[in-house]
Amino acid sequence: MRKYVLFYRVSTKKQGESGLGLEAQQRDISIFLDTYSDTPYRILSEYTSIHSGSNIEDCPKFQEAIKACKCNNATLLIAKVDRLSRKVSVFSRVIEEIDVKVAVMPNADKFQLHIYAALAEQERDFISKRTKAALKEAKARGVKLGGIREGHDKMILAKREAAVARAEKLRPLVTELLKNHKSYSALARTLSSVNADGKKWQTTQAKRLLDRLSLTL
């Protein structure tokens, strides 16, 4: 029976929380298991890492996954080559120590995976150099880099004006509520209970509302 240890990796906490990167990896691995895997098979464990691929060896989840494969004579299953590591040296060492399968390259052997990892590393290095060169050229032409995009100030102003307009609509209600509410939290609770659209007010939002209306408790 083929035994698998599944390993997923995203680079940032935001990607992990959104689930977008993980969902794609889970989909690819599911396709591999349903279509290309030896049968029967067994999934021993799954590891999900939020860690940069450039220093994956410092990741505890990565180390646990490798150890699980060695202890159980299992195959490490990943969605794509770069989900394991972005360094060909690390990837090559891993595929020499344990059996590795890449979902999107289901029939690739160790030699092919090594070549692909090396080519991917070269491509990333070239893209990095090309980006730096383009930025240097743009700066030499007088292009302002990293500045606020055109229209940004207008957008911020429009949002502020819209917030003030919404607050003004609530002025009569808030003025009446202030007669009996002496804390922001109490005001927030009452606004939540009388709000027709079901919005739940927070204490900080109640305070900000009073600030916009120039009202005080």
Side-chain angles (χ1 to χ4, degrees):
M1 176 184 290
R2 171 81 72 162
K3 294 177 289 187
Y4 290 109
V5 171
L6 310 186
F7 182 72
Y8 306 101
R9 184 185 67 79
V10 291
S11 299
T12 66
K13 183 178 180 181
K14 184 176 181 181
Q15 289 177 331
E17 291 173 346
S18 70
L20 297 178
L22 292 177
E23 288 176 2
Q25 293 175 61
Q26 290 165 350
R27 177 203 61 213
D28 291 343
I29 284 179
S30 178
I31 292 173
F32 173 88
L33 292 172
D34 291 341
T35 310
Y36 298 98
S37 174
D38 298 337
T39 55
Y41 66 83
R42 178 186 173 195
I43 298 175
L44 299 181
S45 54
E46 298 183 28
Y47 298 90
T48 300
S49 167
I50 301 176
H51 205 280
S52 170
S54 61
N55 59 343
I56 191 65
E57 289 183 297
D58 296 331
C59 173
K61 294 293 184 182
F62 169 80
Q63 297 295 345
E64 289 174 19
I66 299 299
K67 183 178 180 180
C69 289
K70 291 180 177 179
C71 293
N72 296 283
N73 192 29
T75 297
L76 185 69
L77 178 56
I78 56 178
K80 298 171 61 179
V81 168
D82 64 2
R83 294 306 87 194
L84 180 61
S85 176
R86 291 186 177 278
K87 290 184 177 180
V88 65
S89 58
V90 175
F91 187 86
S92 298
R93 179 181 63 76
V94 172
I95 63 176
E96 289 302 320
E97 293 181 358
I98 61 173
D99 185 44
V100 176
K101 281 292 184 182
V102 179
V104 300
M105 304 175 68
N107 299 315
D109 57 24
K110 285 186 177 182
F111 176 75
Q112 291 169 322
L113 291 177
H114 178 91
I115 294 299
Y116 183 84
L119 292 174
E121 185 178 78
Q122 288 184 16
E123 182 182 28
R124 285 191 298 271
D125 183 64
F126 181 84
I127 290 173
S128 175
K129 287 182 171 60
R130 183 177 63 190
T131 301
K132 291 178 181 178
L135 292 173
K136 185 177 180 180
E137 291 173 3
K139 187 176 181 180
R141 294 196 304 269
V143 176
K144 186 177 180 181
L145 303 176
I148 297 176
R149 290 173 294 180
E150 184 179 355
H152 181 77
D153 289 341
K154 291 182 179 179
M155 181 181 68
I156 295 298
L157 180 60
K159 287 185 176 180
R160 187 179 296 118
E161 291 176 345
V164 172
R166 289 193 298 270
E168 285 296 335
K169 291 181 180 180
L170 293 172
R171 182 182 290 276
L173 173 62
V174 173
T175 301
E176 186 64 27
L177 291 178
L178 286 180
K179 295 178 181 178
N180 298 308
H181 294 78
K182 299 304 178 183
S183 71
Y184 294 119
S185 58
L187 179 60
R189 286 195 297 271
T190 302
L191 285 169
S192 297
S193 65
V194 301
N195 197 12
D197 61 8
K199 175 183 176 180
K200 298 298 182 182
W201 285 76
Q202 304 297 323
T203 301
T204 53
Q205 292 173 312
K207 183 179 185 304
R208 193 156 52 241
L209 175 62
L210 294 188
D211 290 342
R212 288 196 175 105
L213 296 175
S214 298
L215 296 173
T216 58
L217 289 172

